[in-house]
Amino acid sequence: MGAAALTRARPALSEAAKPLAATYQVGLVDLDGVVCWGERPVPHAAAALSRACSAGMRPLFVTNNASRTPAEVVRLLQGVGLAATERDVVTAAQAAARLVASLVPPRSRILVIGGPAMEQALREENLTPVRSAEDAPRAVVQGLSPEVDWCQLAEGGYAVARGLPWVVSNMDPAVPRDRGIAPGNGAMASVIRIVTGREPLVAGKPEHALYQEALRRHGGGQALSIGDRLDTDIAGAGRLGIDSMLVLTGVTSVEDLIAAPPRHRPTYVAADLRGLLQAHPAVRRASDGWHCARWTAAVAAGEITLRPTPAAAFDMNAVRAICCAAWAAQDAGHTVSVADDMREALSRLTSTW
């Protein structure tokens, strides 16, 4: 299926007769929730990516996280068992710095809300990072960092309220960490947005700047965006006409996927990165519902039904059938709900993570 279909209603997931790693030459791989949770590796991720490389797919690690420099990302990847260089890493800090550089003269002072990774990215674009609204900045740039506190947010608020250009690395409200879900850059940026009434320019996913930087580097071939977020990884890929694969190791649950509006629906869905090593079966519509392998899903009186009855053998093909049935019903104007027994069966898919 053509990737441009992602910008329209997607009532069905796409079929891939061959493993995705043998179909796509480049994988635009998100980090948090896909490869790692903070510093902890996601199970199967490193081994799956290594095998995908052997099958011919080159991974580019494209992250909305602006708290790490490319060198730090490389060390993280090496720590979870992946070989990578800085050329394999594209960060939202780099995309934000490049966007700021397009708005101001060279060597301009830029107020930073963030950490050393954002400062380094600005210097690489021939810009000068500063930390106070009284340092005559020409713009404000904001990225996630554990160092961001009230003082940084206040300085940013003072400068943004004066009407300076304001660029943020991304608007992700949350970020997966090894202890759970933590506030993301979007949550921090919302503080300044509420205080000033201003809207930022966004560099990271789902906006174009980060993807364009990645596509500029990847050297040709068909690309697949791989991520755990519907509203960034999947929506951003759709805007640029890139196919996508959602993995369920991050912030998106199966129930979130079932409820996805058209612009957030992926081309493929997998439990984890092992989905790159698999063919993806067709999901076909018939008079009695949507069929995928041995499963048939339908919507009756607003509730999803599945045959055979969900049990211990519940698998991703069941999820594929359920999603397509739910999406088609939603596109026809129906409200769709998930019964308790199905919700319990769905939760077992990710309970071991």
Side-chain angles (χ1 to χ4, degrees):
M1 173 180 283
L6 285 179
T7 60
R8 302 190 297 272
R10 179 184 289 285
L13 294 159
S14 291
E15 176 184 9
K18 299 186 299 183
L20 298 183
T23 303
Y24 295 88
Q25 290 73 54
V26 180
L28 306 180
V29 186
D30 187 40
L31 282 180
D32 294 304
V34 178
V35 176
C36 55
W37 297 309
E39 304 296 320
R40 185 160 62 97
V42 171
H44 314 295
L49 283 174
S50 296
R51 289 179 61 190
C53 286
S54 298
M57 174 182 276
R58 178 195 172 191
L60 275 178
F61 299 95
V62 182
T63 175
N64 261 4
N65 191 331
S67 67
R68 303 183 185 105
T69 65
E72 289 170 334
V73 174
V74 168
R75 287 194 292 272
L76 173 67
L77 292 169
Q78 292 173 343
V80 300
L82 287 166
T85 69
E86 291 188 37
R87 281 201 55 79
D88 301 322
V89 175
V90 187
T91 75
Q94 292 174 309
R98 185 178 289 268
L99 180 54
V100 171
S102 73
L103 302 174
V104 299
R107 296 180 294 280
S108 292
R109 295 182 177 189
I110 308 300
L111 177 62
V112 176
I113 309 167
M118 185 63 77
E119 293 181 332
Q120 176 177 311
L122 289 171
R123 292 189 183 99
E124 290 172 353
E125 294 294 333
N126 195 24
L127 299 169
T128 303
V130 297
R131 288 292 182 172
S132 172
E134 304 310 310
D135 289 333
R138 298 289 296 269
V140 179
V141 66
Q142 181 170 1
L144 182 66
S145 172
E147 301 170 20
V148 174
D149 58 11
W150 184 91
C151 292
Q152 286 199 30
L153 292 172
E155 291 298 326
Y158 302 146
V160 170
R162 295 172 187 170
L164 295 181
W166 174 31
V167 173
V168 300
S169 62
N170 66 83
M171 287 299 290
D172 296 0
V175 61
R177 286 292 180 262
D178 53 356
R179 294 172 57 194
I181 302 298
N185 194 62
M188 300 298 176
S190 292
V191 174
I192 294 177
R193 184 167 61 180
I194 291 168
V195 168
T196 66
R198 296 275 311 281
E199 292 292 331
L201 298 172
V202 182
K205 297 178 279 188
E207 305 303 331
H208 287 183
L210 182 59
Y211 277 111
Q212 288 171 336
E213 178 66 16
L215 293 173
R216 185 181 67 84
R217 291 193 202 180
H218 82 51
Q222 191 172 8
L224 178 70
S225 176
I226 304 153
D228 69 310
R229 295 190 66 100
L230 296 171
D231 57 347
T232 56
D233 304 305
I234 306 308
R239 291 184 185 185
L240 287 183
I242 303 170
D243 286 349
S244 61
M245 184 181 82
L246 180 84
V247 293
L248 297 172
T249 48
V251 300
T252 299
S253 69
V254 179
E255 286 192 71
D256 294 332
L257 179 61
I258 290 169
R263 66 186 182 279
H264 290 174
R265 294 173 190 168
T267 317
Y268 311 100
V269 62
D272 54 49
L273 283 177
R274 288 176 294 180
L276 293 175
L277 311 175
Q278 302 163 357
H280 287 244
V283 188
R284 307 290 188 199
R285 189 169 199 168
S287 59
D288 60 342
W290 290 81
H291 295 255
C292 186
R294 68 188 185 93
W295 301 96
T296 300
V299 176
E303 188 168 286
I304 300 169
T305 63
L306 185 69
R307 301 190 309 275
T309 303
F314 203 78
D315 60 24
M316 287 305 301
N317 289 332
V319 171
R320 294 180 177 108
I322 289 169
C323 284
C324 292
W327 295 345
Q330 288 160 186
D331 291 348
H334 301 296
T335 300
V336 177
S337 63
V338 179
D340 289 343
D341 61 339
M342 184 176 292
R343 182 177 292 107
E344 182 180 347
L346 291 170
S347 70
R348 285 199 290 268
L349 281 171
T350 58
S351 61
T352 59
W353 298 332

